[in-house]
Amino acid sequence: RIFSPQVPPLVRIQDFCRMIYCVQKEKAGQYGRVCGCPYTSVGSELATLDEKIRAKSEHLMDAGRKYIESAIADAIREGSVTVKDPVAASLTLQSLLCGMLVEARVRNDLKVLENLEATVMSLLGAKKVAT
């Protein structure tokens, strides 16, 4: 639902960032610690040990990134971001998201994710901030 084409592209991206924070907050409350991204956690731990797990982690991460890429492409078409390449921007954004989730997990601190939305919008060069 978050990435529905009927939703403006910057709203899709903002809602995605908000969802990440809310899910991490919910899981932290449930399990007593920040859990981070399961695909990143499993993939980074087992990628060198098990090719099937590495490939599946990569597949899941790529599938999710395609939604981000599509929203960025739509934002480029409407002129609401300054980035020019949706593939490159989505890869950079995914790396940023994964890194912030790993740091939040390692530090066990949701504060790491509090500026996620603003950081993502800045990275994309958002010309207007959706509400």
Side-chain angles (χ1 to χ4, degrees), residues 21 100 110-120:
Y21 182 81
M100 289 180 78
L110 287 169
K111 289 180 186 174
V112 172
L113 302 174
E114 286 179 353
N115 292 318
L116 176 62
E117 182 182 332
T119 302
V120 166

Side-chain angles (χ1 to χ4, degrees), residues 22-110:
C22 287
V23 167
Q24 291 302 312
K25 186 175 180 179
E26 177 185 317
K27 296 292 183 190
Q30 184 177 359
Y31 297 110
R33 62 181 299 102
V34 177
C35 295
C37 174
Y39 308 137
T40 302
S41 297
V42 170
S44 65
E45 285 296 318
L46 300 176
T48 59
L49 303 175
D50 188 314
E51 177 56 23
K52 287 182 181 179
I53 291 174
R54 186 212 60 76
K56 187 63 172 181
S57 294
E58 179 182 26
H59 170 75
L60 292 168
M61 290 174 70
D62 285 348
R65 188 184 51 76
K66 292 294 184 183
Y67 288 104
I68 297 168
E69 181 183 322
S70 176
I72 294 170
D74 289 348
I76 291 169
R77 276 192 288 284
E78 75 175 21
S80 59
V81 294
T82 58
V83 294
K84 303 291 185 219
D85 182 348
V87 175
S90 68
L91 286 166
T92 300
L93 186 73
Q94 183 177 47
S95 295
L96 170 75
L97 293 169
C98 289
M100 289 180 78
L101 285 164
V102 166
E103 184 171 352
R105 181 178 182 203
V106 168
R107 293 181 182 278
N108 194 33
D109 190 353
L110 287 169

